[in-house]
Amino acid sequence: MTLDNIIEEIRKAEKIVILTHETPDGDAIGSTLAMKLALKQLGKNADVIIKEFPKVFDFLPEREEVKQQSDIEKYDLAISLDCADFKRLVGNEYFEKAKQTIVIDHHGSNQMYGDINFVNPVSPACCQILIGMFQYFNIEIDKELGTCILTGIITDTGGFRYSKVTAETFEFTADLLQKGVNVSDIYKRVLDTKTKANFELMRRTLDRMEFLEDGKITFTYITNKDLEDVNAGIGDHEGLVEIGRDIEGVEVSVFIRQREDNENAYKVSMRSNDYVNVSDVCLMFGGGGHERAAGALIQGSIEQVKQKIMNELKKILK
Ligand code: 5GP
Ligand code: MN
């Protein structure tokens, strides 16, 4: 049984590192901090390594313990959370050198790159997988741990809206409300509050939004110049892809963002509503994700990247 193997490896390890994917979202941040708190209860002091920590999650417990790098050469155990792909794992050099590795994730496209892989693609958030796991390990999900977990659930379900939400999601939330977790405060902080820069980027993406294929696809973009103009910080592009998806008649929303380190490459984000499996589309470009939310990195100019994506989408649009 994998859960038994996981707890056995945790118990054996002294030096543990916790990692997650690049451009970390609420589920990535929430699950790493929740794991740190859980390991604390087991008497382990683990390192969380996150190079670019979005400001909106600064309110979470253990934030000040997060490191950008480590001086430990070789960890006994590395735990990867919410990351389907070894290439996207920030600090994968620590993962590679660690004596034992565990991958915990909820992406169907997970490459199973750990010694132990605990992947449940049905779960709406990696954080929700942790609930069952921690209960099995007899770890108490207190107010602090619950706040981290709920942050991941709220962000990855768009505020309990997406179809992957289960009865357990609400049961757990109700339980945390009873324990005093301020659910509406978390919700407001992570979903309802926009930075000024995010708002300015939204203005630009809305202005440029194109409707393609009879209005079934929306396409928009931002460049490095935009990011510079609005003085964008880490995470300020989050949520921009959702706007197109929420428009009547749209099946797929496509949003591309120029790479800061390579002006001839774009980070693609896709969202779909009913039937297009955007994870499959992104897999064609070496990316991945979920059926209704996925991403990839594509080389070329804005126009070239758009054409590459449209060629694939046209084949599957009804
Ligand atoms: P987002 O559009 O919010 O960046 O990502 C949506 C989903 O797709 C997330 O679950 C994310 O992990 C996944 N994803 C985004 N970009 C990539 C990528 O380049 N490769 C893979 N494998 N997954 C990605
Ligand atoms: Mn996630």
Side-chain angles (χ1 to χ4, degrees), residues 84-85 88 107 267 269-271 287-290 293-297:
D85 190 336
R88 299 190 73 224
H107 293 87
K267 181 74 225 210
S269 282
M270 284 189 213
R271 298 291 184 270
H290 308 285
L297 184 66

Side-chain angles (χ1 to χ4, degrees), residues 25 27 82 106-107 125-126 156 290:
D25 52 19
D27 196 27
D82 195 40
H106 71 128
H107 293 87
C126 186
D156 257 29
H290 308 285

Side-chain angles (χ1 to χ4, degrees), residues 151-206:
T151 294
I153 290 178
I154 288 176
T155 52
D156 257 29
T157 62
F160 308 109
R161 285 183 304 141
Y162 301 156
S163 57
K164 273 182 162 183
V165 165
T166 63
E168 196 197 7
T169 317
F170 290 106
E171 282 160 12
F172 173 73
T173 307
D175 190 40
L176 284 180
L177 259 173
Q178 257 159 5
K179 285 181 180 162
V181 173
N182 194 336
V183 179
S184 72
D185 179 63
I186 299 176
Y187 198 108
K188 190 162 176 51
R189 282 174 184 277
V190 303
L191 283 187
D192 291 345
T193 311
K194 282 181 188 26
T195 60
K196 233 3 221 329
N198 178 258
F199 177 77
E200 291 301 337
L201 291 175
M202 186 191 293
R203 231 199 253 280
R204 294 181 186 214
T205 50
L206 287 177

Side-chain angles (χ1 to χ4, degrees), residues 69-200:
Q69 59 186 50
S70 162
D71 45 22
I72 295 178
E73 181 65 17
K74 212 172 178 160
Y75 283 95
D76 300 323
L77 176 64
I79 304 176
S80 159
L81 292 155
D82 195 40
C83 182
D85 190 336
F86 178 76
K87 280 195 316 258
R88 299 190 73 224
L89 185 67
V90 174
N92 56 14
E93 63 274 21
Y94 302 104
F95 194 90
E96 209 160 22
K97 286 187 195 146
K99 291 181 204 151
Q100 267 294 321
T101 59
I102 298 174
V103 170
I104 301 168
D105 186 28
H106 71 128
H107 293 87
S109 60
N110 192 288
Q111 292 173 343
M112 308 286 182
Y113 51 92
D115 296 321
I116 301 174
N117 299 285
F118 194 82
V119 177
N120 178 4
V122 178
S123 187
C126 186
C127 276
Q128 187 163 319
I129 298 178
L130 295 184
I131 300 171
M133 184 176 284
F134 293 165
Q135 284 167 344
Y136 187 83
F137 296 165
N138 280 322
I139 286 166
E140 195 208 338
I141 302 181
D142 56 14
K143 199 170 156 180
E144 289 204 314
L145 195 38
T147 299
C148 296
I149 291 182
L150 205 56
T151 294
I153 290 178
I154 288 176
T155 52
D156 257 29
T157 62
F160 308 109
R161 285 183 304 141
Y162 301 156
S163 57
K164 273 182 162 183
V165 165
T166 63
E168 196 197 7
T169 317
F170 290 106
E171 282 160 12
F172 173 73
T173 307
D175 190 40
L176 284 180
L177 259 173
Q178 257 159 5
K179 285 181 180 162
V181 173
N182 194 336
V183 179
S184 72
D185 179 63
I186 299 176
Y187 198 108
K188 190 162 176 51
R189 282 174 184 277
V190 303
L191 283 187
D192 291 345
T193 311
K194 282 181 188 26
T195 60
K196 233 3 221 329
N198 178 258
F199 177 77
E200 291 301 337

Side-chain angles (χ1 to χ4, degrees), residues 201-226:
L201 291 175
M202 186 191 293
R203 231 199 253 280
R204 294 181 186 214
T205 50
L206 287 177
D207 249 0
R208 291 168 186 161
M209 193 171 284
E210 287 178 71
F211 288 82
L212 304 159
E213 298 296 306
D214 285 334
K216 289 182 191 145
I217 297 175
T218 57
F219 175 86
T220 190
Y221 64 90
I222 53 175
T223 61
N224 286 332
K225 182 172 178 303
D226 295 320

